[in-house]
Amino acid sequence: MKLKTLALAAALVAASTAHAQGLPKLKVGLMLPATGTYAALGTAIENGFRLYVNEQGGKLGGREIEFVKVDDESDPAKATDNVNKLIKRDNVDVLVGTVHSGVAMAMAKVAKDTGTLLLVPNAGADAVTGPMCAQNIFRSSFSNWQPGYAMGEVMAKKGHKNVVTITWKYAAGDESVRGFKEAFEKAGGKVVKELSLPFPNVEFQALLTEIAASKPDAVYTFFAGGGAVKFVKDYAAAGLKKSIPLYGAGFLTDGTLEAQGADADGLLTTLHYADALGNPKDNAFRLAYAKAFKLQPDVYAVQGYDAAQMLGIGLAAVKGDVSKKAELAAAIEKAKIDSPRGAFSVSKSHNPVQDIYLRQVSGKENKLVNVASKALADPGRGCKL
Ligand code: PHB
């Protein structure tokens, strides 16, 4: 061998040894809202995600984690540009996001087109684990259908017959109401009026007047974040809380109770998490979260934590090599994720199969009433995997 070739070979050996000893950092693109009605949700997700990574010594699958962040503003019009920036300019290895269903669908499209691994830590857009499902897309949260469907059964069992729904007019609100209606009408109830307003408007007055005039047995709603705070307060201020019981997907009262105060007291909601579940994993999680962030965790923090757990499981199976897509996906598909909500696995379309809890607000907590729907799986309609 010529001297030059030998030197080159030696250099290559040295380089590959260095590679094995210290893999380059793994770039995680965090695309979450930092402003607007969902800002607090984005913060809780990031906190949860970082908590898990920190518990693992800052590494997943042997690779140190580096974050690149974008404020998506919960604005679908900016979503494709934002996600392309993360992939093309910042060269992220993994995408994590987001809260808003419309933004998440744009992320899913780019993830599918580029093959980039996407973990969705909140947005429930049914399509993401439906027609848009893919080997490289996983959700750590829920589908919009899930809490809605569970509440349809709960409200029918309570004997409510005529219900008005009210929500924001976009994928999450529409799909939450659709899930509710599917179960409620199957059980003999009737949705007599579907009210909505554009996201993220909070001018509820005219619609509350319409609810009062319709005199339904009850109201089902999907609102979240800052909008949920205002809706619960306005509903009480309009004098409706005493006369027409208000129910909702649990986002109505999760992460919002400090601000809602007594106006939220007694509200019944359905969600895949509750305060004080009391299982060992949840107890440890809540202690660690409160210590790290001086805040009580909510469902969004849990979803962020579990997105990091899912990434950790996938990366461990491929020793940090994200290019091994099939093996990485297979590892998450067969995993049981040790979540604070209770252990769960994912469905064929990569959405959590999970218990949906009925909770009731008492003071500053969403207290567990019972399991409304055991191991509820989103039907994954339109997903071919
Ligand atoms: C959604 O847009 O999918 C969404 C947003 C906030 C929530 C839940 C769902 O709390």
Side-chain angles (χ1 to χ4, degrees), residues 202-221:
V202 290
E203 303 310 318
F204 301 121
Q205 215 45 58
L207 298 173
L208 292 173
T209 305
E210 213 174 325
I211 290 173
S214 306
K215 298 195 174 62
D217 300 336
V219 168
Y220 173 77
T221 189

Side-chain angles (χ1 to χ4, degrees), residues 38 41 99-102 122-125 142 144 170 172 222-225 251 300:
Y38 289 158
L41 288 60
V99 171
H100 184 287
S101 274
N122 182 69
F142 61 93
N144 290 320
Y170 82 106
F222 167 90
F223 288 111
F251 314 108
Y300 310 105

Side-chain angles (χ1 to χ4, degrees), residues 27 30 84 87 94 115 125 135 139 147 185 189 217 238 252 254 271 309 339 347 356:
K27 271 195 181 179
L30 278 184
N84 277 328
I87 291 180
V94 179
Q135 184 191 52
R139 185 148 51 195
E185 297 202 332
D217 300 336
L252 187 68
D254 229 273
L271 204 63
Q309 290 209 70
S339 172
S347 64
I356 306 292

Side-chain angles (χ1 to χ4, degrees), residues 41 151 166 168 204 219-233 235 245-257 260 263-264 267-271 299-300 359 361 366:
L41 288 60
M151 187 48 103
I166 178 166
W168 278 315
F204 301 121
V219 168
Y220 173 77
T221 189
F222 167 90
F223 288 111
V229 171
K230 178 143 192 304
F231 184 77
V232 164
K233 295 193 87 59
Y235 196 86
L246 175 65
Y247 298 83
F251 314 108
L252 187 68
T253 58
D254 229 273
T256 55
L257 292 176
Q260 287 163 335
D263 290 340
L267 293 183
L268 288 164
T269 64
T270 42
L271 204 63
V299 70
Y300 310 105
R359 313 105 48 84
V361 176
N366 286 288

Side-chain angles (χ1 to χ4, degrees), residues 275-309:
D275 295 312
L277 280 177
N279 69 65
K281 180 73 187 178
D282 189 47
N283 291 345
F285 167 76
R286 293 182 76 92
L287 260 179
Y289 191 93
K291 188 162 174 236
F293 307 108
K294 314 282 175 260
L295 273 175
Q296 286 306 309
D298 54 20
V299 70
Y300 310 105
V302 170
Q303 294 167 172
Y305 187 84
D306 291 342
Q309 290 209 70

Side-chain angles (χ1 to χ4, degrees), residues 31 70 76-88 106 110:
M31 188 162 145
V70 169
K78 298 181 182 159
T80 303
D81 276 355
N82 279 331
V83 67
N84 277 328
K85 251 185 255 161
L86 286 172
I87 291 180
K88 297 194 178 126
V110 177

